[in-house]
Amino acid sequence: MTIPDSGYMMENGSIELPCTPEEEARIIQELISKAESNLREGNTYYVISNRWFRDWQRYIGKPLGAYPFNEDATQSQPFLFPNTASRPGPIDNSDIIIREIDGESDDPELIITLEEGRDYVLVAQEVWEKLSEWYKGGPALPRKMISVGDAKQLSVEVFPLCLNLHDTRDRSHKVIRLSKKASLHELYSIVCKLKGIAPEKARIWDYFNKRKYTVLVASDQTLEGSNLQMDQDILLEVQAEGLLPSGFGFDSTGNDLALVPVEPLRSSVTIAGGPTLSNGFSAGYSSNTYQGSSLSSTYGDIEDGYDSMRPASKGERGGLAGLQNLGNTCFMNSAIQCLVHTPPLVEYFLQDYTDEINKQNPLGMHGELAFAFGELLRKLWSSGRAPVAPRAFKGKLGRFAPQFSGYNQHDSQELLAFLLDGLHEDLNRVKQKPYFETKDSDGRPDEEVADELWRYHRARNDSVIVDTCQGQYKSTLVCPDCNKISITFDPFMYLSLPLPSTVTRTMTVTVFYSDGSGLPMPYTVTVLKHGCIKDLIQALESACCLRTDEFLLLAEVYEHRIFRYFENPTDMLNSIKDDEHIVAYRLPKNVALLTRLEISHRYQDKCIIDSSKASERKLFLTPLVTFLEDPRNGVDIDFSVDKVLSPLRRKAFISPEPAFKDGAENGSPLEKIEEPMNSCTIQFGHEDRSMEYTEPVENSSRGMAFHLCLTDERGTCCRPVVKDTVIQPARMLKVILDWTEKEYELYDASYLKDLPEVHKSGLTVKKTKQEAISLFSCLEAFLKEEPLGPDDMWYCPGCKEHRQASKKLDLWRLPDILVFHLKRFSYSRWLKNKLDTFVNFPIHNLDLSKYVKCKDATESSHVYELYAISNHYGGLGGGHYTAYCKLIDDDRWYHFDDSHVSAAAESDIKTSAAYVLFYRRVKVQQNGVVGGPSSNRSS
């Protein structure tokens, strides 16, 4: 074997080039930066298995560009890894492609359920070529960058369009893959070259659901514009002598009888059928699940193309049609079913709504989205139980919202938000929006300001969506510096409610007495996750029963030093990580007039005898903070150290006449706190120790009890403290206490060891069944006052500066249709998470009266009943969406699972999968009896 000049052949087959991991990182980073500055349609990118890419990033010691390394890390955690990993072998993409049964394929197919970042990364062509030069391997998986949607958004087409080609001549079947941006001309060219026929003799049909839907005429129209879906069928007919053979393999309807399977047996609980896979994909759209005799009657209406806009009526058993899955579109199907079972929208779109379509609105979609949704709703309510394939609607959705194009799983709530906003703009009755200059409240009554802003809003926004789905909330901002109060009233379309577990966090902080009056004690408190230091201090003050003449000074302890003090009450709590060690020192409020004394602890290895080797001494234990009143010499420091250490004195060295003795109050060692592994006992000593202390003799007559050294800010310079050491006035002094055998005999150091972490999720005493969270607690968490984030600063008109104001929301005006979004998903740059917490929500008589601040007597009732739920099952990426919807006329619930529709008991609709809840307002009579629905127009 010839060794190439450019490198050395390794045992694993890769080529080791003469460059270090750091040089590899530098070269690739330069190529990434170059590619990012030259983004354009037609660029080639390559798919690489994330499994191999992670190994390579471990080798170079850090991530590069936009490629994540550690899925479990959060954005705020730096990615710095020692490059101690061995050099990876050849590039291996075998885990992300479908293995061919009949050998290797020139065009390997990717597994359809892959997710970017989790399963694969995309690298520019230059990056791939360099990595391939270094490591070889493969197979190469090139993909083109295309522009999607009317906005021409650039995106790499990872999954090309797969079409199943059926040939009527020999009934053969072949899968072809090409870009959805390819034209029908290109489709004809590929098919004719594959089959060896002249283009003028070929006719290709859109063979969706194995029915000849329409002829695909060779043109510049794209496959995407022709509504061709992933994995759908197309049919090739070949003319003989310029004529199609009469009746060749087709019945009177033009269908290939051999390709129409018999309908499978259905369950007794199924109303409309079609198999659905657990990962959100459905096989129902690629195979016909209906009897041949029913084809002409059912599939004539199965495509949601535009019909005439004459008023429609509900068909027999209307509202029980499922939606076929077009390739991971269960998220879309779930949201649509909830909307098409919203009574005001059903009544609106079943009538002639063409006069209200606003084609000139620059914020809308030229009325096309409203047309597509309206026709889809009409078909779902008039097609009986036959499932509808929303191909035309999905095509419009991909045009106007490219983020929902393709075949990946998306968020049903995000789609719902887009649809409500898009339908409103397409149906906005206001053609020319007037301009209004908003005014500050300036102390005016809330009712006056709210009505004024609502009138302004309705003068610019008037549609069936605003009539039924929009409400108004009150927003109060308070400046933390000048206390300027700003009140606004804003419209809302839905309420995104945080789950309390996503709003709060538990934090364990160890509290120390600075005057030596008690033992240190850990306290676990619950605070707002996005709160500030002030919130944590307030929670601790209550937990440790802080006296009125004291305050708490928070600090982080790192490697037995005080790493930082938290002296700014507006600093955010998210700067404190769960694995850090936080302490709080109880200090007198007049400490500004005193000298703060910070005490670190140091020990010396017994093997080191030479006292000159002071540098060999190491810090240990937890630093203490106390205070000095007008310190003059070393004896004053020695006295304060003795006082703050006094609770740690062992029993044998305590005077029988105690100066004080704590009982089992909160904060004493006798208190029982539920901490992981009984940390109070393990970490802070035995429970039966008393805290007795005898006041030392007068300072002037005592000697030095400890070996102390004054040190600087960094702890590098040490100056011994003796009795006559003169202490200069200072705001803070730092000393190091050298522990000798005498200190070990006198004091129990275990109280200062092993500080608990802020949060230790892995150590739980006992896992108990999680209690249900009520919808009301989620709503209260949403309405609770909290500070704005550092990235969401408010410009205070009083200070003329951006401030981190506190914000409080209140409900003011409720719509007839009230939508609650439960925020189960949390995202950061590198981390995605889902909460499966069960939320207990009422089905009937949801009374929100106490949450509505508007006291207008003419306001409609605030009582609601549930009529639809969008559910999400499973985790991220592999989850599945369904919907529960209630047919109001029948007063019965049904489960919509893509094509499947089945009856559901009301007792079964409350699950931990509930994601978006739909409520409608109901009338409440004077006697308190719940009546029918209110009118569609809100007041």
Side-chain angles (χ1 to χ4, degrees), residues 402-560:
Q403 65 270 28
F404 299 117
S405 63
Y407 306 97
N408 291 329
Q409 186 68 275
H410 296 283
D411 192 317
S412 68
Q413 186 273 333
E414 291 180 0
L415 174 65
L416 175 71
F418 170 79
L419 285 179
L420 289 175
D421 188 63
L423 290 174
H424 158 64
E425 297 295 353
D426 270 4
L427 298 171
N428 196 347
R429 305 178 186 107
V430 179
K431 300 302 189 287
Q432 296 292 331
K433 295 186 177 183
Y435 171 77
F436 297 99
E437 184 176 353
T438 57
K439 307 172 185 176
D440 201 354
S441 56
D442 288 332
R444 291 183 292 162
D446 286 348
E447 289 75 12
E448 177 185 336
V449 180
D451 289 344
E452 176 185 273
L453 293 176
W454 187 248
R455 287 196 306 271
Y456 291 170
H457 176 69
R458 289 305 302 262
R460 296 170 54 86
N461 302 276
D462 184 16
S463 69
V464 65
I465 303 299
V466 177
D467 294 341
T468 60
C469 301
Q470 282 200 355
Q472 188 182 35
Y473 61 78
K474 175 185 175 182
S475 176
T476 305
L477 290 169
V478 180
C479 178
D481 292 288
C482 69
N483 293 323
K484 167 70 176 177
I485 298 176
S486 176
I487 298 176
T488 59
F489 293 84
D490 303 303
F492 68 85
M493 198 94 73
Y494 53 86
L495 299 176
S496 289
L497 306 185
L499 274 62
S501 55
T502 66
V503 175
T504 61
R505 63 185 291 199
T506 58
M507 302 182 72
T508 299
V509 178
T510 307
V511 178
F512 290 83
Y513 288 84
S514 65
D515 60 357
S517 61
L519 284 169
M521 178 59 60
Y523 293 90
T524 299
V525 294
T526 301
V527 292
L528 287 172
K529 183 176 290 186
H530 300 291
C532 55
I533 295 297
K534 179 180 68 173
D535 300 320
L536 176 58
I537 291 177
Q538 289 176 347
L540 288 171
E541 287 175 350
S542 175
C544 72
C545 301
L546 196 73
R547 298 194 304 265
T548 56
D549 60 344
E550 292 180 308
F551 80 101
L552 290 178
L553 176 64
L554 254 63
E556 178 190 350
V557 174
Y558 179 70
E559 293 185 346
H560 311 291

Side-chain angles (χ1 to χ4, degrees), residues 1 69 82 132 135 169 214 238 278-279 290 411 418 443 455 460 478 484 595 674 739 793 909:
M1 179 181 295
F69 173 74
S132 182
Y135 294 95
R169 299 171 299 173
T214 184
V238 181
S278 61
N279 64 355
Y290 301 94
D411 192 317
F418 170 79
R455 287 196 306 271
R460 296 170 54 86
V478 180
K484 167 70 176 177
T595 298
E674 292 185 4
W739 283 61
M793 305 284 275
I909 67 173

Side-chain angles (χ1 to χ4, degrees), residues 72-245:
D72 298 326
T74 59
Q75 182 177 2
S76 58
Q77 292 174 325
F79 294 103
L80 297 175
F81 298 94
N83 52 353
T84 56
S86 59
R87 184 182 178 90
I91 299 172
D92 183 8
N93 287 330
S94 61
D95 63 316
I96 60 174
I97 61 175
I98 298 175
R99 299 181 182 275
E100 300 288 342
I101 299 177
D102 54 352
E104 295 296 326
S105 171
D106 295 334
D107 184 18
E109 183 178 357
L110 288 173
I111 299 171
I112 194 69
T113 56
L114 299 179
E115 280 191 23
E116 184 180 1
R118 185 193 68 182
D119 305 302
Y120 68 88
V121 295
L122 292 169
V123 299
Q125 181 174 352
E126 298 83 359
V127 175
W128 165 260
E129 289 172 352
K130 183 58 68 175
L131 290 175
S132 182
E133 175 188 346
W134 289 339
Y135 294 95
K136 307 301 180 185
L141 301 169
R143 295 295 186 266
K144 291 291 185 182
M145 178 172 280
I146 62 174
S147 62
V148 294
D150 286 1
K152 304 298 181 183
Q153 177 178 316
L154 292 178
S155 175
V156 178
E157 189 176 27
V158 177
F159 297 98
L161 192 61
C162 293
L163 299 174
N164 302 310
L165 175 65
H166 298 272
D167 193 334
T168 58
R169 299 171 299 173
D170 56 7
R171 307 187 190 282
S172 62
H173 169 261
K174 177 70 175 178
V175 176
I176 59 175
R177 289 194 288 273
L178 66 170
S179 172
K180 64 182 178 181
K181 305 298 287 187
S183 67
L184 292 177
H185 275 306
E186 294 177 76
L187 175 63
Y188 268 84
S189 176
I190 292 174
V191 170
C192 292
K193 182 178 180 180
L194 179 67
K195 293 295 184 177
I197 57 177
E200 62 271 11
K201 291 187 177 183
R203 177 185 292 176
I204 302 177
W205 287 83
D206 179 349
Y207 201 49
F208 185 74
N209 278 323
K210 291 190 170 63
R211 179 183 185 276
K212 292 166 68 175
Y213 179 72
T214 184
V215 174
L216 300 173
V217 179
S219 65
D220 292 332
Q221 186 178 23
T222 65
L223 304 184
E224 180 185 37
S226 303
N227 289 331
L228 295 179
Q229 303 297 315
M230 178 70 80
D231 292 333
Q232 83 153 73
D233 301 302
I234 56 175
L235 184 69
L236 172 65
E237 291 180 345
V238 181
Q239 295 177 343
E241 300 296 333
L243 296 172
L244 278 173

Side-chain angles (χ1 to χ4, degrees), residues 751-764:
Y751 288 94
L752 304 180
K753 289 182 180 179
D754 304 323
L755 281 176
E757 294 181 358
V758 169
H759 180 72
K760 192 74 172 177
S761 58
L763 294 178
T764 54

Side-chain angles (χ1 to χ4, degrees), residues 714-782:
R714 293 178 297 175
T716 56
C717 178
C718 291
R719 181 164 59 95
V721 178
V722 296
K723 182 177 179 180
D724 298 328
T725 299
V726 177
I727 305 301
Q728 299 295 333
R731 181 175 177 270
M732 183 171 68
L733 296 174
K734 291 189 175 186
V735 298
I736 295 178
L737 167 61
D738 286 313
W739 283 61
T740 64
E741 291 185 3
K742 182 184 72 172
E743 277 75 35
Y744 280 110
E745 292 177 0
L746 286 174
Y747 302 102
D748 188 348
S750 64
Y751 288 94
L752 304 180
K753 289 182 180 179
D754 304 323
L755 281 176
E757 294 181 358
V758 169
H759 180 72
K760 192 74 172 177
S761 58
L763 294 178
T764 54
V765 178
K766 187 177 181 181
K767 286 191 175 181
T768 57
K769 187 176 180 181
Q770 190 177 31
E771 294 183 3
I773 298 174
S774 72
L775 181 65
F776 295 104
S777 63
C778 296
L779 180 60
E780 288 163 1
F782 172 76

Side-chain angles (χ1 to χ4, degrees), residues 337-347 377 468-469 817 867 918:
Q337 290 289 7
C338 292
L339 284 181
V340 301
H341 286 86
T342 299
L345 298 185
V346 174
E347 296 175 11
L377 180 145
T468 60
C469 301
I817 298 300
Y867 70 89
F918 293 75

Side-chain angles (χ1 to χ4, degrees), residues 576-705:
I576 301 177
K577 308 306 176 189
D578 285 346
D579 59 350
E580 292 176 352
H581 302 91
I582 305 298
V583 296
Y585 299 103
R586 301 175 66 144
L587 294 167
K589 285 187 176 179
N590 66 338
V591 74
L593 304 176
L594 307 174
T595 298
R596 187 192 305 174
L597 179 64
E598 182 183 304
I599 307 165
S600 299
H601 308 273
R602 189 168 60 180
Y603 73 94
Q604 184 176 4
D605 289 336
K606 293 182 180 179
C607 60
I608 301 175
I609 308 218
D610 187 357
S611 60
S612 64
K613 296 183 178 180
S615 60
E616 300 292 341
R617 298 169 184 171
K618 300 178 182 179
L619 294 179
F620 77 132
L621 304 180
T622 303
L624 298 174
V625 173
T626 183
F627 53 90
L628 300 168
E629 297 184 19
D630 190 23
R632 300 178 181 274
N633 51 42
V635 175
D636 294 330
I637 295 178
D638 190 81
F639 172 77
S640 293
V641 172
D642 183 81
K643 185 176 182 180
V644 78
L645 285 177
S646 59
L648 277 60
R649 283 179 176 267
R650 299 184 186 275
K651 229 173 187 179
F653 300 95
I654 296 177
S655 169
E657 296 296 332
F660 66 89
K661 182 173 181 179
D662 281 0
E665 298 294 331
N666 186 11
S668 76
L670 301 180
E671 184 192 11
K672 205 170 183 180
I673 298 179
E674 292 185 4
E675 279 293 307
M677 305 294 292
N678 196 8
S679 62
C680 287
T681 302
I682 294 176
Q683 298 173 6
F684 293 95
H686 303 292
E687 293 180 341
D688 59 352
R689 297 188 192 276
S690 63
M691 298 178 298
E692 300 171 349
Y693 171 63
T694 302
E695 191 75 21
V697 295
E698 186 67 27
N699 290 10
S700 60
S701 61
R702 69 187 294 254
M704 296 292 292

